[in-house]
Amino acid sequence: MPATTTIAAYITEPGPPEAIHVGAVPLPVLGSGDVLVRTEALVVDPVDTYVRQRGPLPQSPYIIGRDLVGTVLEAGGPVASGFALGDRVWCNSMGTAGRQGSFAREVIVPADRLYHLPDGIAPTAAVAALHGGATAYLGLFGRTQLRPGATVVVGGGGGSVGSCVTQLAVAAGARVVATARPDDFEWCREIGADAVIDYRERDLAARIREVAPDGVDLFWDTSGHHDLEAATGVIARGGTIVLMANGQARPVLPVGPLYTRDASIVGFVLGSASTGELTAAARHINQHLRAETLRVRIGTTLPLAESAQAHRLVEAGFRPGRVVVLPQD
């Protein structure tokens, strides 16, 4: 008889990390377009903490989390025919559009949001890169069109999204200038940054101009600082500023340098991406996972029972590396 419950990390109302419970919850019925996955690795994304704090929750109890790597236990029907028992798979868009999240030992995943994991890739290494990889792909090739030879500034280059943006941009033939903490300089260079600048420089724009005198084609601050003074001060004609993270920020926008250089600003969230966009991103991510050209540091691993502590660490700015959760421990 199929299991009707699973062990999961869930909340019943928005609140602090202490609102997270771990225990048995109902397992949704496997639909004709669904796949039942036994999870092997999970990770806490910053967006997970925002949803936990503020809601609204699509249902209660609500299983937290977005990303997972696991193994197929059962496919629900013809729509899910591309998946078979034992397939290694991943997903980075659970917990949206009314779905339960990923932080459970067994998860029902829509087949159109599930992708095969390349052979030989460790679950923890993969799960650490899924959210940042998809975000980087959409920002570089979906919402903008990065061209070979472009100069890209990546703010927060030592973080998970910044690391992914750097690696995908370099692989596409761009030159990357990263801004980061000094203790992240070596990592940023290791993953391909051509120049690295301390983000705390008093005149950041001047330092960027020293290494990019012809201007910057794409300025993407993944850290959420939103230094638009610096961004508009270095943007090249026709360049683009990408906004993400820290939705509560209210930075001043110097409009003159923006419109006189025919520059633009774009913003997006991964949660609003279509399944087509996510599938395109997944193909790109898998290509780079196979080539070992998409790496994100892992800072610590915790069992599912310590999901609340995992959220505390992320909220406290734990670094360097991601907080990975192992659901089967």
Side-chain angles (χ1 to χ4, degrees):
M1 183 175 179
T4 58
T5 63
T6 187
I7 302 300
Y10 65 91
I11 56 178
T12 57
E13 60 183 7
E18 290 73 25
I20 298 174
H21 307 280
V22 178
V25 299
L27 191 64
V29 175
L30 187 69
S32 62
D34 296 331
V35 179
L36 177 62
V37 176
R38 185 177 191 264
T39 60
E40 299 174 36
L42 313 166
V43 70
V44 181
D45 297 313
V47 67
D48 298 337
T49 67
Y50 304 152
V51 172
R52 190 211 71 236
Q53 291 172 13
R54 304 172 187 142
L57 307 184
Q59 53 189 295
S60 181
Y62 172 69
I63 299 173
I64 61 176
R66 292 287 186 273
D67 310 332
L68 66 85
V69 172
T71 303
V72 171
L73 295 178
E74 184 180 356
V79 177
S81 61
F83 299 96
L85 177 67
D87 284 355
R88 306 291 301 291
V89 291
W90 62 268
C91 175
N92 57 2
S93 59
M94 294 300 295
T96 59
R99 289 178 294 274
Q100 289 282 23
S102 61
F103 268 50
R105 291 181 179 174
E106 292 82 27
V107 177
I108 301 291
V109 183
D112 61 356
R113 293 175 177 269
L114 190 65
Y115 317 105
H116 288 93
L117 182 69
D119 293 340
I121 306 300
T124 51
V127 82
L130 299 180
H131 207 83
T135 301
Y137 174 83
L138 288 177
L140 294 173
F141 310 111
R143 299 300 186 268
T144 67
Q145 292 296 322
L146 183 68
R147 293 180 174 83
T151 296
V152 179
V153 166
V154 180
S160 61
V161 175
S163 296
C164 291
V165 173
T166 295
Q167 291 169 91
L168 296 193
V170 169
R175 176 184 182 236
V176 170
V177 177
T179 70
R181 300 168 183 257
D183 55 354
D184 282 331
F185 282 13
E186 182 178 352
W187 168 253
C188 292
R189 294 190 183 101
E190 180 181 333
I191 60 174
D194 182 73
V196 189
I197 299 170
D198 190 330
Y199 78 98
R200 297 167 300 185
E201 285 279 354
R202 180 172 298 177
D203 190 342
L204 185 59
R207 287 288 291 114
I208 293 172
R209 282 194 294 270
E210 289 177 10
V211 296
D214 295 328
V216 172
D217 301 292
L218 185 72
F219 190 107
W220 187 345
D221 183 357
T222 68
S223 72
H225 284 99
H226 299 308
D227 186 349
L228 298 183
E229 288 278 356
T232 55
V234 300
I235 201 71
R237 181 167 297 280
T240 304
I241 299 169
V242 178
L243 297 183
M244 60 162 281
N246 190 9
Q248 305 305 307
R250 296 293 184 271
V252 174
L253 172 63
V255 297
L258 191 70
Y259 74 76
T260 58
R261 295 176 191 166
D262 296 325
S264 60
I265 296 178
V266 299
F268 70 97
V269 292
L270 186 59
S272 64
S274 68
T275 54
E277 290 174 318
L278 291 172
T279 298
R283 286 194 293 265
H284 208 77
I285 289 168
N286 277 345
Q287 173 187 337
H288 285 277
L289 288 176
R290 289 189 194 96
E292 299 183 353
T293 51
L294 184 61
R295 297 180 292 135
V296 174
R297 292 176 292 183
I298 296 172
T300 189
T301 59
L302 295 171
L304 185 66
E306 295 185 31
S307 293
Q309 175 62 7
H311 271 234
R312 290 188 196 99
L313 290 175
V314 172
E315 286 186 334
F318 177 85
R319 60 181 307 278
R322 308 217 64 193
V323 178
V324 170
V325 171
L326 304 178
Q328 304 300 331
D329 280 9

